[in-house]
Amino acid sequence: MASPEEILNRLETLRSNDAPTHGGRVLSYVYDSGLPELDALAASAMELVQPVNGLDPTTFTSVAAMEREVIEFARNLLHGDQNTVGTITSGGTESCLLAVKRARTNYQGAGAPKILAPSTVHAAFHKAAEYFELELDLVPVQANGQLQAARLIERMDENTALVVISAPAYPYATLDPITEIAAVASVRGIECHVDACIGGWILPFWPNLPEWDLRVRGVTSIAADLHKYGYAPKGISVLLTQGRDTQRSQYFATTNWPGYPVVNSTLLGSKSAAPLAAAWAIINYLGETGFQALAESTHNSTQTLLTHISSIKGLRVLGSPTGPLFAVAQDDSLTPETRIDPHLWADRLGTLGWRAQLQPAYRQPDGTTLPRTTHLTITPVTAASVTELCSAMTVAAQDVRGVPGINPQEVLASLDLEVLPELNSQSAQELLTGLGLADNSAGLPAAMAQVMALIEALPASFSQRLLVELMARLIEP
Ligand SMILES: *Cc1c(COP(=O)(O)O)cnc(C)c1O
């Protein structure tokens, strides 16, 4: 037996090897308000509900009260009405899964149901389609990442159980043409979900936007993650739905077993109330004015960075991002010696202490290819370091300008392709070892560009299997 002190020392050591969760050095995954008192408040709120079981809000009535108040706040923010009901979920993915589960249950068509969405829709909808056995019909977007409404509208048919559009979509921060699409969906009686997981708590305070929330006629549900721009610890999102009866099919209930009667609003049974208590406390502390101030500062930082990047020769911002995130691509209009590969750039930024997120090139269903990009998510804390980040971007750009990016075909040539069709745990591990990707004890390799090139080179089914092996081995005792 170890003493509590020893145990916590060990945890501190482990934590010290994590990517930094504060200070804005990691430009994805974490959403730092830059307000230490907010973290302290959240921690105290979590401690107060630590032993509570969120499974049963009739026994733990604090859970019902906090859920009600968070839903009310979100409903006002996203312009719902008396007909808007809500669910507190464990995060964006669960909100997406539940929106699909609900539409699947409500679907009355004769054919196999489908989800219709632009190809930039979040991967959680691929997961939902797989889990709940719906077809996923992905509509190609233009080279600037933007969806043309007509291309999606023409694919609506009697098998469409759900249309999903985003505010904004994660990869390039594109705001989908929500008004146009929702109007047609409404006329055709198709449910229309707005995925505002990343935008939902900050776009309400973003200047000069068209309507994108529950004000738009035809939008039947919307999701907004509190563990993103709600600044709450991980494990909480809100899913709002128009119409009680529509939403009730999202629940699971059974009295048909010998145990306690089960009523679940979400996928989990027993669950923590900690993220709920933290989010509830943060909402009460910030109020709309607090969120507004944080959004304004984030908007300023984002504008500064966008302007700076457009001044870096060799890079370009993809399309017209909406909100505090964007993707950076190579400027192909320049000569090869002035171009910058966004992945080499991101890896160089990494060695300078700034972690941006690499996104591989993506081949759409119609054969067109969206380029490799580097994604950055900006949070309030960046205000304190935006000059430093701009300088690092410039330095990284100078260091890799003119260096050709990793060629996926060359990665492919280095592989023994014979084993690919029958990949198993053993052969996948051998392949990963050959690529120098098998030993992850100290975290993923600094050169993520190589991993991305591998993903670009391989058919998705193979890269997916390899990545599963990589992750599974990571936690083998
Ligand atoms: C983050 C995100 C999700 C998934 O959310 P998780 O919280 O990571 O499960 C879904 N959609 C969008 C647009 C997102 O940004």
Side-chain angles (χ1 to χ4, degrees):
M1 227 174 103
S3 72
E5 198 195 355
E6 284 165 341
I7 294 165
L8 293 176
N9 281 342
R10 161 102 168 105
L11 180 53
E12 272 177 21
T13 309
L14 291 172
R15 284 282 289 115
S16 69
N17 295 322
D18 280 343
T21 51
H22 287 84
R25 292 271 164 171
V26 176
L27 295 141
S28 58
Y29 304 117
V30 289
Y31 300 76
D32 186 353
S33 69
L35 305 174
E37 75 268 26
L38 213 61
D39 287 349
L41 174 65
S44 305
M46 290 200 286
E47 193 171 11
L48 273 173
V49 298
Q50 185 170 304
V52 164
N53 190 343
L55 167 68
D56 185 0
T58 66
T59 304
F60 303 103
T61 55
S62 65
V63 172
M66 289 188 290
E67 290 203 352
R68 201 184 304 126
E69 290 179 25
V70 172
I71 289 166
E72 185 185 16
F73 193 96
R75 187 176 72 173
N76 290 336
L77 194 64
L78 302 175
H79 300 99
D81 52 30
Q82 291 306 313
N83 228 353
T84 308
V85 284
T87 310
I88 300 295
T89 73
S90 63
T93 297
E94 193 176 38
S95 290
C96 300
L97 290 172
L98 285 171
V100 171
K101 192 270 173 203
R102 185 194 73 229
R104 175 81 180 79
T105 308
N106 290 339
Y107 173 70
Q108 310 245 312
K114 78 173 186 187
I115 304 170
L116 180 60
S119 64
T120 46
V121 77
H122 195 276
F125 290 94
H126 294 237
K127 185 175 186 176
E130 186 174 307
Y131 279 18
F132 299 128
E133 300 188 333
L134 290 90
E135 188 202 327
L136 179 60
D137 188 3
L138 292 176
V139 183
V141 298
Q142 302 174 87
N144 64 2
Q146 193 69 45
L147 170 74
Q148 286 174 298
R151 289 198 73 179
L152 186 141
I153 289 169
E154 72 191 15
R155 299 255 283 261
M156 289 181 188
D157 61 22
E158 64 282 359
N159 295 334
T160 311
L162 183 68
V163 166
V164 183
I165 39 189
S166 304
Y170 186 85
Y172 320 122
T174 38
L175 183 65
D176 287 330
I178 293 170
T179 307
E180 267 175 283
I181 288 171
V184 181
S186 159
V187 168
R188 302 199 52 166
I190 299 170
E191 284 201 40
C192 179
H193 176 73
V194 172
D195 180 3
C197 278
I198 199 154
W201 289 89
I202 195 158
L203 293 194
F205 311 102
W206 212 255
N208 306 322
L209 295 185
E211 289 186 357
W212 55 273
D213 60 12
L214 290 171
R215 267 176 297 191
V216 177
R217 196 176 65 90
V219 170
T220 51
S221 60
I222 189 166
D225 291 355
L226 279 151
H227 65 202
K228 287 179 181 159
Y229 288 95
Y231 312 108
K234 291 296 175 262
I236 183 158
S237 168
V238 189
L239 172 60
L240 297 178
T241 303
Q242 288 301 89
R244 291 182 176 75
D245 287 317
T246 305
Q247 187 230 21
R248 299 311 188 232
S249 57
Q250 183 192 293
Y251 279 72
F252 174 80
T254 187
T255 48
N256 199 15
W257 76 306
Y260 59 91
V262 171
V263 189
N264 295 155
S265 60
T266 63
L267 295 170
L268 296 178
S270 288
K271 60 186 174 190
S272 170
L276 168 66
W280 174 87
I282 288 169
I283 283 173
N284 278 289
Y285 181 75
L286 288 178
E288 288 211 14
T289 45
F291 279 110
Q292 170 88 43
L294 291 172
E296 271 169 24
S297 141
T298 309
H299 182 260
N300 289 340
S301 303
T302 306
Q303 284 311 117
T304 304
L305 290 164
L306 287 173
T307 306
H308 182 69
I309 288 165
S310 52
S311 78
I312 298 180
K313 223 183 168 124
L315 291 174
R316 68 188 170 98
V317 173
L318 196 126
S320 322
T322 298
L325 51 152
F326 53 85
V328 179
Q330 172 173 285
D331 187 349
D332 290 320
S333 70
L334 302 176
T335 55
E337 57 280 7
T338 29
R339 290 179 196 161
I340 295 172
D341 178 77
H343 288 178
L344 296 182
W345 179 67
D347 279 345
R348 183 72 189 102
L349 267 181
T351 60
L352 296 171
W354 302 88
R355 291 228 203 167
Q357 194 174 50
L358 292 79
Q359 304 185 132
Y362 171 70
R363 200 176 142 87
Q364 301 197 87
D366 66 353
T368 57
T369 299
L370 301 169
R372 40 170 88 147
T373 53
T374 290
H375 186 276
L376 286 92
T377 300
I378 310 308
T379 62
V381 76
T382 294
S385 57
V386 71
T387 316
E388 225 187 315
L389 177 53
C390 284
S391 313
M393 286 177 164
T394 303
V395 169
Q398 280 159 359
D399 291 350
V400 300
R401 183 173 288 117
V403 182
I406 300 178
N407 181 344
Q409 292 318 313
E410 279 167 26
V411 179
L412 210 53
S414 73
L415 290 177
D416 172 13
L417 298 173
E418 307 253 293
V419 304
L420 283 179
E422 60 237 49
L423 274 184
N424 57 26
S425 315
Q426 178 68 32
S427 55
Q429 177 68 355
E430 281 163 16
L431 250 177
L432 289 168
T433 307
L435 291 160
L437 298 174
D439 180 18
N440 276 300
S441 48
L444 269 178
M448 282 297 289
Q450 200 212 347
V451 179
M452 295 297 132
L454 180 69
I455 291 169
E456 291 171 0
L458 288 175
S461 60
F462 300 143
S463 56
Q464 286 158 196
R465 181 64 187 86
L466 285 175
L467 291 172
V468 166
E469 196 58 36
L470 190 148
M471 295 297 268
R473 297 268 176 176
L474 193 59
I475 55 162
E476 280 190 16

